[in-house]
Amino acid sequence: MYRAHVLVCGGTGCTSSGSSQIIQTLNEEIRKHHLENEVSVVRTGCHGLCAEGPVMIVYPDGIFYSKVKVEDVEEIVSEHLLKGRVVERLVYHEAKKDDGISSLNETVFYKKQHRIALRNCGVINPESIDEYIGTGGYEALGRVLTEMTPDDVIQTILDSGLRGRGGAGFPTGLKWKFASGNRGNVQKYVCCNADEGDPGAFMDRSVLEGDPHVVLEAMAIAGYAIGASQGYIYVRAEYPIAVERLNIAIGQAREYGLLGTDIFGSGFDFDIELRLGAGAFVCGEETALMTSIEGNRGEPRPRPPFPAVKGLFASPTILNNVETWANIPQIILNGPEWFSSMGTEKSKGTKVFALGGKINNTGLVEIPMGTTLRTVIEEIGGGIPNGKKFKAAQTGGPSGGCIPAEHFDIPIDYDNLISIGSMMGSGGLIVMDEDTCMVDIAKFFLQFTVDESCGKCTPCRVGTKRLLELLEKITDGRGTVEDIDKMEELCYYIKDNAQCGLGQTAPNPVLSTLRYFRDEYMEHVVNKRCPASVCKKLITYKIDPIKCKGCTLCKRNCPVDAIEGDIKQPHSIDNSKCIKCGTCIEKCRFGAIYKD
């Protein structure tokens, strides 16, 4: 029995910041002080507060250390683990109080969250099936196979109000019901979409890295409900830690008889295999994903027939994303009323978001549906850095839209976001401040869509390319007012005629920025000026003659000799030569150079 457990984040973010070396050094120091029988070191999944990584929590004290470095480990072991003295300089700043150190759950980042999909992330060793079982894992599967009929399971999911967390928000129970006919007479499949391709999104990756067994258990429950014996997890090959932990989890579940034949002695057979995606964004679309699993080029298929009728290998198939699956066991264990008591009337439960962009607390959060955008950004997210003003938030990635400051207090749920021209998407939430150019943001997302189009249908293949060319024309200072009208018309044509969801939603970032930030587009085309000073070809670099000391540092570092002036005399920039690289601003010590 250990007297202390040290939990160190082993998610991708903290691993990239050196948490593996921290764990290695921690074990060495523990052995050095002969504490190996008293202190256990646990590599967990993501704790959520990625901005403070690498992170470490010491239990039973509940002390949260942030931004830990390898050189800090010796002090933590010798002071905290050996002598019981907290290393206060490493304690997360919000946990420090005048009367001592508060628990992590009392910090602003955590106290307004409600973790269901993330309940085990950062808490257990994801490579240990015993730890998952110790937190109630596979109990839901056991209950389903021994106490419930398949129709009972489907009705439970229907009553919970759970909607798909992958973007469209289709009722999960209804999808299962559509695929449930002819149990035992037709080969059926259960699939997990772990292809997560939105820029700035890492929700599914974190669940797979921190709690892989929850997905396996949920898929087995769905297999029983619809009469399927085989499952596939389609996961990005760029997620090596997730892939490794999924393989370990599948092996352990088979060894324990929780995957395979006659699970829990019920006569139910179900197994799961992995399929690695090569990074194609279009394979996040369900029919393209299934086509890829079959070994073909990942291109979408016409619907109908829908996958519940004719999906993988032309058989009835259900597909849900990782976060959707992560809710299933808890709904079974706690009941549909428990889940539906959270959230809003039409959007039940919680939603996981990956906070990124211009925000202090970048990381992973899980909030009840209906929480306002202001709460997420100003409280949980810690606000905008450097005292800047909030300008917009992008939800739904390339398929979503921008939420402007005028909707800062909107409760976040499926219907509210759609009503203002955005969408929930899988859960990426990118925050932008006053220094962001919204035309440039629209161009960024459209460039991504153009690159990721499979090319199967003309509206997407050609239409998005023409749309991008118009945006580039505007950001280069060659645009006209007529180009804005052409863009808007083209957006609606693509939405109405593209074959799959990728093409149909590709114009959303353009339409939402036109809706809320049309004045920025007009500034680009009428005055040939970028108000945020982001679009390079519309920027002019100038030197304030009052602030300039004539130190010549900018002149000496200019790569194209565009700066003129004598020593101790105000300098000037020849904009006919200037390539707008920004080196002069970086080098100036007096704040004399600015963008206009």
Side-chain angles (χ1 to χ4, degrees), residues 55-367:
V55 300
M56 175 190 297
I57 305 181
V58 181
Y59 287 107
D61 309 331
I63 302 300
F64 186 92
Y65 291 126
S66 63
K67 297 182 180 178
V68 178
K69 298 181 176 63
V70 172
E71 50 266 34
D72 297 323
V73 173
E74 192 279 332
E75 185 179 0
I76 291 172
V77 173
S78 62
E79 289 295 307
H80 190 158
L81 299 179
L82 193 62
K83 300 174 185 176
R85 298 194 290 231
V86 175
V87 184
E88 291 199 15
R89 67 179 182 85
L90 297 174
V91 173
Y92 175 49
H93 64 91
E94 267 194 42
K96 295 178 184 178
K97 305 292 182 184
D98 293 337
D99 55 350
I101 297 172
S102 66
S103 82
L104 203 56
N105 291 332
E106 294 175 18
T107 62
V108 174
F109 181 79
Y110 286 103
K111 70 181 179 182
K112 292 201 173 182
Q113 294 190 49
H114 188 76
R115 293 161 78 90
I116 299 174
L118 300 178
R119 73 183 192 95
N120 282 332
C121 293
V123 177
I124 66 171
N125 176 359
E127 298 182 11
S128 170
I129 190 172
D130 293 328
E131 291 202 16
Y132 179 67
I133 292 172
T135 63
Y138 291 106
E139 184 180 337
L141 178 60
R143 182 178 299 180
V144 161
L145 296 183
T146 60
E147 300 177 15
M148 301 173 73
T149 67
D151 287 332
D152 289 339
V153 176
I154 292 175
Q155 192 60 49
T156 298
I157 303 305
L158 279 168
D159 292 344
S160 73
L162 175 66
R163 295 171 65 173
R165 299 305 197 238
F170 191 81
T172 303
L174 196 57
K175 181 183 287 189
W176 292 17
K177 188 175 183 179
F178 289 155
S180 64
N182 296 318
R183 294 188 187 97
N185 299 321
V186 179
Q187 176 64 55
K188 299 179 182 179
Y189 297 98
V190 173
C191 292
C192 172
N193 181 356
D195 193 52
E196 193 170 53
D198 289 3
F202 52 94
M203 304 75 57
D204 292 350
R205 185 195 75 200
S206 297
V207 173
L208 295 176
E209 291 176 351
D211 195 14
H213 282 283
V214 74
V215 176
L216 308 187
E217 181 179 13
M219 291 177 68
I221 290 170
Y224 173 73
I226 72 166
S229 60
Q230 181 64 49
Y232 290 96
I233 300 176
Y234 190 85
V235 59
R236 297 175 70 83
E238 297 96 328
Y239 285 177
I241 297 176
V243 171
E244 179 185 4
R245 290 178 182 167
L246 278 171
N247 277 318
I248 291 170
I250 290 170
Q252 291 174 340
R254 287 172 179 163
E255 183 183 347
Y256 276 51
L258 299 168
L259 286 178
T261 59
D262 195 26
I263 301 172
F264 280 103
S266 64
F268 170 62
D269 303 339
F270 188 79
D271 205 357
I272 294 174
E273 294 181 20
L274 296 189
R275 289 291 183 269
L276 302 187
F281 181 65
V282 73
C283 286
E285 196 276 338
E286 59 180 0
T287 61
L289 183 151
M290 293 174 195
T291 304
S292 183
I293 290 178
E294 292 167 357
N296 301 311
R297 177 185 172 91
E299 291 181 334
R301 302 193 285 245
R303 296 180 301 177
F306 291 94
V309 176
K310 187 178 180 182
L312 186 62
F313 302 116
S315 300
T317 306
I318 57 172
L319 172 74
N320 292 112
N321 85 321
V322 172
E323 185 186 341
T324 310
W325 290 122
N327 283 285
I328 299 297
Q330 291 302 300
I331 292 173
I332 298 294
L333 291 177
N334 296 296
E337 298 82 8
W338 165 81
F339 189 81
S340 63
S341 68
M342 294 174 277
T344 63
E345 182 182 354
K346 294 183 179 179
S347 300
K348 305 298 186 182
T350 61
K351 182 71 189 80
V352 180
F353 286 98
L355 292 182
K358 303 293 182 66
I359 193 162
N360 284 308
N361 294 337
T362 55
L364 206 63
V365 304
E366 184 172 0
I367 55 168

Side-chain angles (χ1 to χ4, degrees), residues 522-565:
M522 296 302 291
E523 191 73 12
H524 280 69
V525 300
V526 175
N527 296 324
K528 308 300 180 188
R529 176 177 171 271
C530 175
S533 297
V534 170
C535 301
K536 274 193 174 183
K537 294 190 178 179
L538 299 179
I539 297 172
T540 301
Y541 283 80
K542 294 183 178 179
I543 298 178
D544 186 334
I546 296 175
K547 291 183 179 180
C548 180
K549 307 299 181 184
C551 69
T552 75
L553 194 58
C554 59
K555 180 179 179 180
R556 284 181 279 128
N557 283 278
C558 179
V560 292
D561 297 325
I563 300 178
E564 302 169 346

